[in-house]
Amino acid sequence: MECSFCGKVYEPGKLHNLCSDCSKPLLARYDLEMVRKTITPNVIASRKPNLWRYHELLPVQDIQNKLCMGEGFTPLIHAESLGRKVDFQYLFIKDESQNPTGSFKARGLTMAVSRALELGVKALSIPSAGNAAGAMSAYAAMAGIPAHVFMPKDVPRTFIKECQILGAEVILVEGRISNAGKKSAEFSQAHNCFDVSTLKEPYRLEGKKTMGFEIAEQMEWTLPDVIIYPTGGGTGLVGMWKAFDEMETLGWIGSKRPRMVVVQSQGCAPIVKAFLDKAKFADFWQDPFTIAEGLCVPSAVGDFLILNALYESNGIAIAVDDMDIRSCMYEFSQTTGIYACPEGAATLAAFKQLHSDGWIKPDEIVILFQTGSGLKYTHLTND
Ligand SMILES: *Cc1c(COP(=O)(O)O)cnc(C)c1O
């Protein structure tokens, strides 16, 4: 375990949150020379189609400890009719709505909860405005340990119900997600409970990095030209960026990287603002609001890691309007057959902008991240 900012090294076999010196996220490091000798892409190809096929590159030490409901290895779909509609040939969708609990949060939470159990944790807490809470509740239920969920009190009822039905205790708090974060941290301290806030806990990122392995494997060990990612805490984007480096060290891919695109809503766009300012860190976003709950993160602990991936990849960050997100939900769903969530729809809104600006070239390969199911967002479309 190594601090992503100051490089301080920590013992791997213990529970960790942020770096005790600089309060930045820790990253898991592996003996890649050893992994290189143990497995090859051919060995992986023979394994079951879930994210545990990459287990030598994941933090759970004894694979028997995995909590697996079939998460990961979601389809990478060539969206031909959507492509025709927007006049673009190589448009692909990574459809994360096919994960357990209906979103890619399952990837991170299976890893965090499996590893926490392996290290002896007896109870879990999380602050979340939606999908992360559902996923944490599901894996805690599977493991049979108590889950405490801290949600802003105005989150859609579907998200609250999901956690309650899965057996979690839901505590509704005033204010936004940052306040829920404070409450969850206080509670976990007082009740000897492990807080799995994104990036304040090192293994959710490891679960989400498997999206990077999968894209490479599904594209026969190449990478696309552009990845468009709806960004809240940025765990998935930073995770994929880390996965690319690991695969290059293993000799599975070359040095070419996709240009990474951050999409946020105009109602909460701290990373976009920091990117435009060429800043290293992002400022706190006052009064955040967006219909895309997953993007409503006013302050990301891993801001500098997200920005770094954007700068290094010659990527870009753009903000889209909630009205556009809403209309793209219909267009995305009706041309692909995938019931898109607003966060997923935001990638289409961003794509259109970048395509018409000429930032995306006609013969490039582009992946949109459709991060969750639209089913949890019926409150947005009850006309
Ligand atoms: C959490 C979430 C996001 C944002 O993911 P990060 O990796 O934290 O940036 C996007 N879409 C959906 C549906 C989410 O639940």
Side-chain angles (χ1 to χ4, degrees):
M1 303 304 302
E2 182 185 53
C3 176
S4 58
F5 192 71
C6 74
K8 183 171 176 185
V9 173
Y10 293 80
E11 241 183 89
K14 280 191 179 161
L15 286 172
H16 294 293
N17 289 112
L18 295 173
C19 176
S20 55
D21 283 2
C22 67
S23 297
K24 297 292 183 218
L26 304 188
L27 296 175
R29 300 294 183 201
Y30 301 82
D31 182 349
L32 294 174
E33 258 322 295
M34 168 102 139
V35 175
R36 191 189 180 109
K37 287 184 197 133
T38 327
I39 49 164
T40 61
N42 279 337
V43 173
I44 292 170
S46 68
R47 293 179 175 171
K48 293 208 171 100
N50 61 61
L51 59 76
W52 298 97
R53 66 205 269 114
Y54 310 106
H55 70 83
E56 286 88 349
L57 295 159
L58 295 173
V60 173
Q61 293 300 289
D62 179 352
I63 187 70
Q64 303 300 331
N65 291 331
K66 70 178 188 293
L67 295 165
C68 180
M69 299 186 222
E71 50 288 325
F73 221 68
T74 55
L76 182 64
I77 298 161
H78 188 187
E80 292 179 84
S81 29
L82 179 56
R84 270 194 296 279
K85 192 142 187 270
V86 295
D87 191 24
F88 194 79
Q89 195 170 6
Y90 302 115
L91 191 59
F92 288 81
I93 295 167
K94 183 76 169 153
D95 183 20
E96 292 293 303
S97 67
Q98 299 194 34
N99 277 298
T101 72
S103 91
F104 71 163
K105 289 293 193 302
R107 293 180 185 268
L109 271 308
T110 188
M111 207 55 60
V113 178
S114 299
R115 182 66 176 143
L117 283 178
E118 189 167 64
L119 294 172
V121 162
K122 299 282 188 282
L124 294 163
S125 71
I126 193 170
S128 162
N131 284 315
M136 198 269 259
S137 305
Y139 288 101
M142 188 179 183
I145 58 167
H148 307 276
V149 171
F150 293 80
M151 288 179 147
K153 72 173 188 338
D154 57 355
V155 304
R157 284 193 60 77
T158 316
F159 290 110
I160 301 174
K161 279 281 154 211
E162 181 186 18
C163 298
Q164 288 172 335
I165 290 170
L166 285 162
E169 180 198 20
V170 177
I171 300 105
L172 297 177
V173 304
E174 296 292 326
R176 304 293 316 177
I177 185 71
S178 20
N179 194 39
K182 252 179 244 153
K183 297 284 178 211
S184 179
E186 282 164 19
F187 179 92
S188 58
Q189 287 250 311
H191 295 86
N192 193 26
C193 164
F194 189 60
D195 186 32
V196 291
S197 297
T198 195
L199 284 179
K200 293 186 183 163
E201 176 286 339
Y203 300 122
R204 283 175 63 178
L205 181 127
E206 294 300 298
K208 271 195 177 169
K209 88 178 175 188
T210 57
M211 296 188 293
F213 296 152
E214 288 176 21
I215 288 174
E217 187 175 359
Q218 290 170 324
M219 294 182 59
E220 289 166 26
W221 306 100
T222 64
L223 294 176
D225 297 297
V226 173
I227 290 179
I228 305 187
Y229 188 83
T231 305
T235 323
L237 185 134
V238 174
M240 285 192 278
W241 196 246
K242 179 171 187 279
F244 299 154
D245 284 348
E246 289 174 355
M247 287 189 290
E248 186 182 355
T249 307
L250 289 165
W252 296 356
I253 60 166
S255 58
K256 180 188 173 254
R257 294 289 183 273
R259 307 199 301 286
M260 305 300 279
V261 178
V262 158
V263 191
Q264 299 194 301
S265 161
Q266 282 173 1
C268 182
I271 301 297
V272 178
K273 181 176 179 297
F275 179 81
L276 294 174
D277 294 346
K278 300 188 172 64
K280 189 165 180 187
F281 299 100
D283 292 332
F284 186 89
W285 188 273
Q286 297 297 338
D287 302 321
F289 179 80
T290 163
I291 58 170
E293 308 287 337
L295 309 187
C296 206
V297 180
S299 156
V301 214
D303 53 358
F304 65 104
L305 297 169
I306 304 170
L307 288 160
N308 191 43
L310 293 183
Y311 299 138
E312 277 187 18
S313 73
N314 288 313
I316 199 167
I318 65 171
V320 295
D321 189 59
D322 271 14
M323 293 280 283
D324 278 347
I325 294 181
R326 196 187 294 262
S327 68
C328 281
M329 272 181 83
Y330 288 87
E331 186 179 1
F332 194 117
S333 304
Q334 290 172 12
T335 48
T336 63
I338 298 165
Y339 188 176
C341 61
E343 296 85 347
T347 64
L348 177 58
F351 169 82
K352 288 185 183 182
Q353 219 167 293
L354 294 170
H355 183 34
S356 72
D357 291 353
W359 192 86
I360 291 174
K361 305 280 179 297
D363 58 345
E364 291 192 303
I365 299 175
V366 176
I367 296 182
L368 308 182
F369 264 87
Q370 201 313 92
T371 46
S373 166
L375 277 171
K376 296 190 203 178
Y377 301 80
T378 50
H379 58 279
L380 295 180
T381 47
N382 285 341
D383 305 315

